Amino acid sequence: MQQDSLRAVVVGAGTMGTTLAKLMALNGVKVTVVDTNPKVLEASRQRLGPHAAMTCFATDLKMAEVPDFVIESVTENVDVKQKVVAQIEANVNDATIIMTNTSGIPIDEIGSALQAPQRFVGTHFFNPADIVPTVEVVPGSHTEAETVQKACGWLTRLGKRPAVLKTCVPGFVANRIQHAVMRECLSLLEKGVVEAEALDDIVQYSIGVRMALNGPLCQRDLNGLDTHLNIARYLYPDLDARQQPSALLEEYVAEGRLGAKVGRGFYRWGEESLARHQAQERNKLQRIIELAAQGSNGGES
Ligand SMILES: NC(=O)c1ccc[n+]([C@@H]2O[C@H](COP(=O)([O-])OP(=O)(O)OC[C@H]3O[C@@H](n4cnc5c(N)ncnc54)[C@H](O)[C@@H]3O)[C@@H](O)[C@H]2O)c1
């Protein structure tokens, strides 16, 4: 699909910025990737491979051509993001839509320094952005309906499934659910109920595979809401409801166990095993998405 008329800028060339640039290049959108760190820009160029030929790279926001939309995808820090979106606004014209790829910082907080917050909207992509279909579209309290409509139109043209939230809550939908699940996972590890490998196995091959085919609500319909209620009544008092991140997670991060990128998180990772895992994951994700899209949700609203 060619999108000759669309021009985009992605600010931040890290993990997400690079797959966002790939998504644009794959769909014929003229994209410029901006990052203040020239080394990150070079790494992004390498990771884009043949798609780098369709991509411009820059270390500052001065734009040669005014884009239709700019996606802010810099470090997940509200102060940094506030400054970056204000800089973006100063460099584009009134018609440009400004999007933030924050994972869950409230849109009004990021856009608090904007002159025209009505053209600012959250578009939360998932990693890798060129493959995972859903994008959470999150309006702030000043975002105009037309901005949401335009953003959804472009996302659809990029082959995405935009899902619009009615109101902005911290963490949006996906990260609230992901963190609720992880709070319980970490609690089970801390209590010594199960080892990491067994926990991953149980979740991946039970509720994991099922949820690839049915959303949680559809799945519960299929199981029976009365049964769900009976379980909820005795289980909720026993579930982890802590207000602070788990001590185990704090401990791992303090020890430098940051995950695959440093060779150790819950598991140990070598460079080769990580590269193999990531390559297989991209391929398997594509196959699962194809399968999931084949059978639509059978329920009626
Ligand atoms: N990694 C994920 O799985 C994921 C998924 C969805 C959304 N996100 C969100 O996407 C955003 C980026 O995440 P990431 O994982 O790509 O982070 P990252 O750390 O890999 O990349 C962030 C990049 O921003 C650049 N940067 C910082 N300040 C800048 C500035 N003033 N101007 C230009 N560039 C600047 C940094 O040099 C860095 O390259 C975050 O808001 C994150 O929460 C991440």
Side-chain angles (χ1 to χ4, degrees), residues 1-15:
M1 193 203 329
Q2 282 295 305
Q3 312 280 350
D4 290 335
S5 56
L6 280 187
R7 293 174 204 284
V9 172
V10 174
V11 187
T15 308

Side-chain angles (χ1 to χ4, degrees), residues 14-16 35 40 73-76 81 84 101 103 124-125 127:
T15 308
M16 288 304 285
D35 200 294
V40 172
S73 189
V74 304
T75 318
E76 184 78 345
K81 284 186 182 291
V84 169
N101 184 34
S103 297
H124 177 215
F125 291 77
N127 188 30

Side-chain angles (χ1 to χ4, degrees), residues 72 74-90 98 100 105-115 120:
E72 168 284 301
V74 304
T75 318
E76 184 78 345
N77 173 302
V78 68
D79 297 331
V80 177
K81 284 186 182 291
Q82 275 171 355
K83 283 189 194 120
V84 169
V85 295
Q87 278 169 9
I88 293 170
E89 187 176 51
I98 304 173
T100 171
I105 301 172
I107 301 308
D108 285 352
E109 275 185 45
I110 298 177
S112 61
L114 290 176
Q115 305 290 317
F120 181 55

Side-chain angles (χ1 to χ4, degrees), residues 200-222:
D200 269 353
D201 209 67
I202 292 166
V203 176
Q204 181 180 357
Y205 291 101
S206 62
I207 50 182
V209 286
R210 244 174 19 190
M211 269 197 213
L213 302 181
N214 295 300
L217 304 179
C218 173
Q219 208 290 319
R220 292 291 85 183
D221 262 3
L222 297 172

Side-chain angles (χ1 to χ4, degrees), residues 8 26 45-46 48 62 108 125 133-134 147-148 161 176 196 235 241 248 253 263 277 296:
L26 281 168
R45 186 197 299 276
Q46 302 279 339
L48 281 170
K62 293 203 174 47
D108 285 352
F125 291 77
T134 289
T147 302
V148 173
R161 296 172 72 105
R176 289 180 82 95
L235 188 56
L248 183 69
V253 172
H277 189 95
S296 64

Side-chain angles (χ1 to χ4, degrees), residues 204-249:
Q204 181 180 357
Y205 291 101
S206 62
I207 50 182
V209 286
R210 244 174 19 190
M211 269 197 213
L213 302 181
N214 295 300
L217 304 179
C218 173
Q219 208 290 319
R220 292 291 85 183
D221 262 3
L222 297 172
N223 249 49
L225 299 187
D226 49 344
T227 305
H228 187 87
L229 178 62
N230 286 338
I231 298 170
R233 281 197 176 120
Y234 69 72
L235 188 56
Y236 281 18
D238 203 59
L239 292 179
D240 195 297
R242 257 178 297 193
Q243 298 295 300
Q244 298 298 325
S246 89
L248 183 69
L249 183 61

